[in-house]
Amino acid sequence: MASAAEPASRRGSGPGTGRGTGRWFGRGSGGTGAASGHAGRVSAGSGRAPGGDPVGFGDGAPFGADPSRSVRASITQASVERAFAILLAMTAVGLGIVDTPAVLAQLPYLDPFWGPVVAIALGASFVLVGVSAFVPRVAQFAQILCALLFLVALTTWPLTVQDSIPSTQQPWPWWFCTVGSTAAAMGFATWRATIYTALVPAIYVVLRLTPVGGDAGLVRALLDGVYTALLSGAVLVIAVVLRRAASSVDTAQSTAVRRYSLAIREHAVEVERVQVDAIVHDSVLTTLLSAARADTLEAKTLAARMARNAIDHLEAAAADGPDDDTPVTLADLRTRIGEAIGALAAPVRLVPAPSGSVRLPASVADALASAALQAAVNSVQHAGGPDVARWVRVEQHDDGVHIEVGDDGRGFEVATIPSERLGVRRSIIERVASVDGRAEVHTAPGEGTRIELSWSPTTPSTPTTTGAAA
């Protein structure tokens, strides 16, 4: 009989023990009883996901680290567009520099006004394409402008030439046919780019057959046209294939993230089932078996103590279930946030504010505190060095609460956040929205960042992100 009861007692079935919940503002703090031996390890958050990434208190990843935090897609829509923008910029600027002497050599044959104007305008578009490699927001505009100006230069060539150029020379737009076609492939929709790619070689062949185009003869003109068509067509095909592949990768990654979120919700339900099963198996059934086999006074005393523990575990499970929303004061919320940001690597100032009388459900307080901490962590990691001013303000607004996490650091462009980066979207916006709160991100490059979290009994949960600091 003693041997049957000893395992349960060694697991910690002394009187008064409860089960752990892993909540910031819950009633349990990590029990040592039989039930917590199973459930406590699953639900108790450590403030750090596997792999050492800080994710906020009570936010341990149930399936290990979120794969989207550590695994980046090798090809995405944004990376493809970026690579093509850089390639086009290098080609346009490089060919523009190399072929400038040849363009200048043909100016005596051209109209003294229109010839230089066309050459300068196209050169300016090449410069803009080069700049777009560093300013992605103007990339598509620069590509479309470059493609259109090249087409204008090509089609108006007969009006530009005053004296026929020598047959040994090619009209200077020839040297930039690939630049124009590549710009069209990047800036236009696929069907427009296809028409453009077919139109440019055809126009060039016609020009080469005329005296103003050098009167090169049919064979030479066709060879030049076919060469241009093959090179431009290859660029278009590569662009279309890579874009479609990148789009498929983005779709697959979004689906994976969505499924991961669904798995987390399903896991929460499973955790509750495991907790109950653990209590029933490790406490209730063990107690019943021990009581049934008790044949000495010591064994009966132990069985009685185990029965008391089993009742305590069941009462704790009922009182601290998933729907437990014990009210939390604003002062408690501010204290918890202050303790969390005080442990960060850079100083974050907690702005003094009146305590207020509002009381929040525990789940709301958990979400707001975790989101505020994540916002502060993001600021420490990305806003700049220790000279950046960082602050957190927690105050009451009407019958709700308003939290502002801000800094005067480098800021960022909201639209350029890769889809695989979830620190803002899931850890802040979705977390607050899950408790019917509202999260707003105000930022712009060089203008700092402010993240505002708010909740009230009637707060709409629509998240907001703006690209300019308010």
Side-chain angles (χ1 to χ4, degrees), residues 8 57 131 159 169 171 177 210 214 248-249 259 280 300-301 368 376 427 434 466:
F57 294 91
V131 171
L159 304 177
Q169 295 185 16
C177 285
T210 63
S248 298
V249 171
R259 290 178 176 175
V280 172
K300 292 178 180 179
T301 301
L368 292 176
S427 297
S434 68
T466 61

Side-chain angles (χ1 to χ4, degrees), residues 222-304:
L222 286 177
L223 286 176
D224 288 348
V226 169
Y227 173 80
T228 302
L230 289 176
L231 191 57
S232 302
V235 171
L236 177 61
V237 169
I238 292 174
V240 171
V241 169
L242 286 180
R243 276 175 165 169
R244 290 182 177 177
S247 178
S248 298
V249 171
D250 287 347
T251 301
Q253 184 164 335
S254 298
T255 302
V257 171
R258 186 168 58 252
R259 290 178 176 175
Y260 182 84
S261 300
L262 178 61
I264 289 177
R265 291 194 293 270
E266 293 177 346
H267 176 77
V269 176
E270 179 66 11
V271 165
E272 294 301 321
R273 187 191 65 79
V274 170
Q275 289 174 345
V276 173
D277 287 351
I279 294 173
V280 172
H281 179 271
D282 289 351
S283 296
V284 178
L285 293 182
T286 302
T287 299
L288 293 176
L289 289 174
S290 298
R293 298 173 182 176
D295 53 5
T296 65
L297 179 60
E298 180 183 4
K300 292 178 180 179
T301 301
L302 177 60

Side-chain angles (χ1 to χ4, degrees), residues 199-226:
L199 189 61
V200 164
I203 295 175
Y204 182 77
V205 169
V206 173
L207 289 180
R208 287 293 278 155
L209 293 174
T210 63
V212 296
D215 200 9
L218 182 60
V219 175
R220 179 63 183 276
L222 286 177
L223 286 176
D224 288 348
V226 169

Side-chain angles (χ1 to χ4, degrees), residues 27-73:
R27 59 191 294 272
S29 58
T32 59
S36 64
H38 290 274
R41 288 195 298 270
V42 176
S43 61
S46 62
R48 190 169 291 270
D53 295 331
V55 296
F57 294 91
D59 192 30
F63 308 112
D66 188 337
S68 60
R69 293 179 182 267
S70 55
V71 178
R72 302 291 176 82

